């Protein structure tokens, strides 16, 4: 993995309706993220946080069932530009959320640099909704669809190109809560999904080995988008949309270690850490531990 790394915080909480997830970047820094990566010999530069404008209070699903569309689009635009610039300097972007809507900006900035970007979506959810299919109007349930070019054009056309990602270059891991419209899209586009059912059946080792082999043969870069709600809420309670029956701490570390060993990642983000809903910063601490494994910590 690239040894020059840029950390970008995105204190975004407007893609959903539980306050507190905007403090995710601080919580992960407080849990020692920067020091941990520096100890692993990364040359880390912490670029601080992207400014997020507050909504005008009227909100607001004015724009086709998309809550806070304007501010979510603006924040993501700034993030996209920053990510694009850091990759241009040949640095590995590591992004701290914020709710999962920030993947719209990350992927816009990243995918410009790859013909065939692969994406690992580690999540309880598919985040494949659009205004028409979303049960909530929350944009954090939409970023993966947006990256495929599905959704409001203020989001899909960020940095003036689309789609960002091809459906066959996506692997979803940990899914256990998919809305009807999302299931349909998965079927229609043939997106590869490992639900908890498959993970229980074949085990995390095989799931990650298949994921790595699959992406290695078809992509020229891989982004990891890790939503902490992919883990079980007993181990990662500080998330806004917890779903029972999730991935364990151990399975998650195994997944990170296998990714480190395969050395296929070119960017990553950790999202949905909400310290207000957490238990003594446990979820941010878990996130930072996972970063340790992902970036090469070993016991021997
Ligand atoms: N990034 C997340 N936590 N997404 C949760 C999305 C939940 C639900 N599918 C929705 O569209 O509202
Ligand atoms: Mn989720
Ligand atoms: Mn998500």
């Amino acid at each position: 993995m690239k040894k020059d790394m840029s950390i970008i915080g995105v204190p975004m909480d407007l893609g959903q309706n539980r306050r507190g997830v905007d403090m995710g970047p601080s919580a992960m820094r407080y849990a020692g993220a920067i020091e941990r990566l520096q100890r692993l010999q990364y040359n880390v530069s912490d670029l601080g946080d992207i400014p997020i404008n507050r909504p005008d209070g009227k909100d607001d699903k004015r724009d086709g069932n998309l809550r806070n569309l304007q501010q979510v689009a603006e924040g993501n635009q700034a993030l996209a530009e920053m990510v694009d610039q850091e990759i241009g300097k040949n640095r590995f972007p590591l992004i701290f959320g914020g709710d999962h809507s920030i993947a719209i900006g990350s992927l816009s900035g990243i995918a410009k640099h790859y013909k065939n970007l692969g994406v690992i979506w580690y999540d309880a959810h598919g985040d494949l909704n659009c205004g028409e299919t979303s049960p909530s109007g929350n944009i954090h349930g939409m970023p993966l669809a947006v990256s495929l070019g599905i959704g409001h054009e203020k989001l899909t056309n960020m940095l003036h190109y689309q789609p960002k990602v091809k459906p066959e270059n996506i692997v979803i891991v940990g899914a256990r809560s998919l809305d009807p419209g999302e299931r349909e899209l998965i079927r229609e586009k043939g997106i590869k999904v490992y639900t908890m059912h498959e993970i229980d059946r074949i085990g995390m080792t095989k799931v990650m080995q298949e994921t790595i082999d699959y992406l290695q043969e078809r992509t020229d870069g891989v982004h990891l988008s890790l939503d902490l709600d992919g883990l079980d809420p007993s181990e990662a309670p500080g998330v806004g949309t917890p779903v029972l029956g999730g991935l364990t701490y151990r399975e998650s570390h195994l997944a990170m270690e296998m990714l480190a060993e395969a050395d296929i990642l070119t960017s990553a983000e950790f999202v949905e850490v909400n310290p207000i809903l957490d238990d003594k910063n446990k979820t941010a601490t878990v996130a930072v531990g996972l970063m340790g494994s992902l970036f090469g910590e070993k016991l021997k």
Side-chain angles (χ1 to χ4, degrees):
M1 212 164 303
K2 217 165 271 160
K3 284 288 181 185
D4 291 320
M5 181 181 278
S6 295
I7 310 274
I8 305 170
V10 195
M12 166 68 78
D13 63 346
L14 303 171
Q16 44 86 62
N17 30 27
R18 306 195 62 179
R19 300 287 77 94
V21 66
D22 55 320
M23 293 186 268
S26 325
M28 286 185 269
R29 288 191 183 95
Y30 192 72
I34 313 293
E35 297 75 10
R36 190 94 170 232
L37 295 162
Q38 277 167 340
R39 226 177 296 136
L40 290 166
Q41 310 299 322
Y42 284 88
N43 165 24
V44 182
S45 154
D46 184 355
L47 304 182
D49 290 348
I50 301 276
I52 303 298
N53 298 326
R54 302 316 299 171
D56 53 21
K58 284 194 214 108
D59 207 74
D60 149 38
K61 296 200 228 171
R62 287 173 287 209
D63 251 317
N65 193 32
L66 297 167
R67 180 174 282 114
N68 304 316
L69 174 62
Q70 189 52 39
Q71 294 75 18
V72 170
E74 284 165 9
N76 274 293
Q77 173 74 31
L79 172 61
E81 287 165 13
M82 178 79 88
V83 168
D84 176 20
Q85 175 193 304
E86 294 311 300
I87 298 177
K89 294 187 205 155
N90 212 14
R91 302 181 65 86
F92 184 104
L94 174 59
I95 301 136
F96 293 175
D99 70 59
H100 218 161
S101 69
I102 68 160
I104 295 169
S106 312
L107 286 169
S108 298
I110 296 161
K112 253 187 85 176
H113 299 264
Y114 300 91
K115 272 208 194 70
N116 264 301
L117 181 69
V119 175
I120 300 174
W121 201 264
Y122 201 91
D123 202 327
H125 308 94
D127 295 341
L128 284 164
N129 278 307
C130 57
E132 292 73 43
T133 62
S134 171
S136 60
N138 290 333
I139 298 178
H140 81 153
M142 309 181 188
L144 197 50
V146 168
S147 80
L148 292 169
I150 299 163
H152 197 289
E153 89 127 88
K154 266 193 188 156
L155 304 175
T156 56
N157 208 34
M158 199 160 284
L159 302 192
H160 311 294
Y161 74 103
Q162 61 172 302
K164 272 66 180 182
V165 182
K166 299 174 185 154
E168 63 271 24
N169 291 346
I170 294 173
V171 183
I172 300 175
V173 177
R176 55 195 183 278
S177 172
L178 297 168
D179 298 317
E182 298 186 298
R183 288 168 204 250
E184 209 170 296
L185 195 61
I186 286 169
R187 216 174 305 122
E188 183 194 315
K189 303 277 184 194
I191 298 171
K192 199 171 174 64
V193 183
Y194 291 100
T195 65
M196 291 311 300
H197 176 87
E198 275 104 38
I199 297 167
D200 285 342
R201 285 223 155 177
I202 67 174
M204 194 48 132
T205 310
K206 187 132 193 281
V207 166
M208 287 313 295
Q209 200 50 58
E210 287 182 9
T211 298
I212 289 163
D213 293 344
Y214 179 80
L215 293 175
Q216 227 158 14
E217 75 192 28
R218 63 178 64 232
T219 64
D220 53 355
V222 178
H223 176 65
L224 170 68
S225 196
L226 191 146
D227 183 331
L228 269 296
D229 73 28
L231 277 79
D232 192 78
S234 60
E235 297 183 299
V239 297
T241 49
V243 189
L244 282 180
L247 297 162
T248 65
Y249 175 86
R250 286 167 62 170
E251 285 169 322
S252 301
H253 272 277
L254 173 64
M256 299 302 112
E257 287 158 357
M258 289 180 73
L259 287 172
E261 204 178 292
D263 196 19
I264 55 169
L265 286 196
T266 45
S267 53
E269 68 199 336
F270 286 76
V271 304
E272 296 282 345
V273 172
N274 185 331
I276 286 189
L277 304 172
D278 207 2
D279 175 15
K280 298 186 186 133
N281 219 27
K282 181 175 176 179
T283 305
T285 305
V286 167
V288 171
L290 292 175
M291 288 173 210
S293 289
L294 183 61
F295 293 106
E297 255 169 33
K298 285 201 194 80
L299 291 180
K300 54 179 178 111

